[in-house]
Amino acid sequence: AKCPELQKVVLDLINTNVGDAGASAIGAGLGLCPQLQEVTLRLEGTNISDVGALAIGDCLAKCPELQKVVLDLINTNVGDAGASAIGAGLGLCPQLQEVTLRLEGTNISDVGALAIGDCLAKCPELQ
């Protein structure tokens, strides 16, 4: 269902069995909320990989009003491709002012970190 007026979402799914299918469903739902300004996804210790991160990155790109993102992917299977997708999604959020990415214990290397940095450089309002 569309949520045209929804502005803030907080999902705490720490240490659950959520995987790529769940992340894709979350991403699809968030992508239907064009007025979303703040998103917190705590996905630490889940089974999400690059596939799920790609879905999350795609949904972020569909939220042009997004101002604040907290994304916790600690101890997941996300790697460089997932990091690049998340960075690309964030780079398409012109109103973005604050980003917190928790990526400890992932498979992200310098390649993924550089991709995130390059994309965030495209956010003129980022503090």
Side-chain angles (χ1 to χ4, degrees), residues 20-114:
D20 294 329
S24 295
I26 291 167
L30 293 177
L32 297 174
C33 305
Q35 297 302 313
L36 210 52
Q37 296 178 7
E38 186 174 335
V39 174
T40 298
L41 298 176
R42 294 187 181 106
L43 303 168
E44 175 183 347
T46 61
N47 296 317
I48 293 172
S49 71
D50 286 337
V51 173
L54 178 63
I56 292 169
D58 285 347
C59 94
L60 295 174
K62 295 176 183 171
C63 300
E65 302 298 318
L66 208 52
Q67 296 175 11
K68 180 179 179 182
V69 173
V70 176
L71 185 54
D72 179 350
L73 294 169
I74 296 170
N75 295 325
T76 62
N77 294 315
V78 174
D80 293 332
S84 297
I86 289 168
L90 292 172
L92 295 174
C93 299
Q95 304 300 316
L96 199 59
Q97 297 175 13
E98 185 178 338
V99 176
T100 302
L101 298 175
R102 295 184 181 105
L103 305 170
E104 303 96 275
T106 62
N107 297 319
I108 297 170
S109 71
D110 289 346
V111 172
L114 286 168

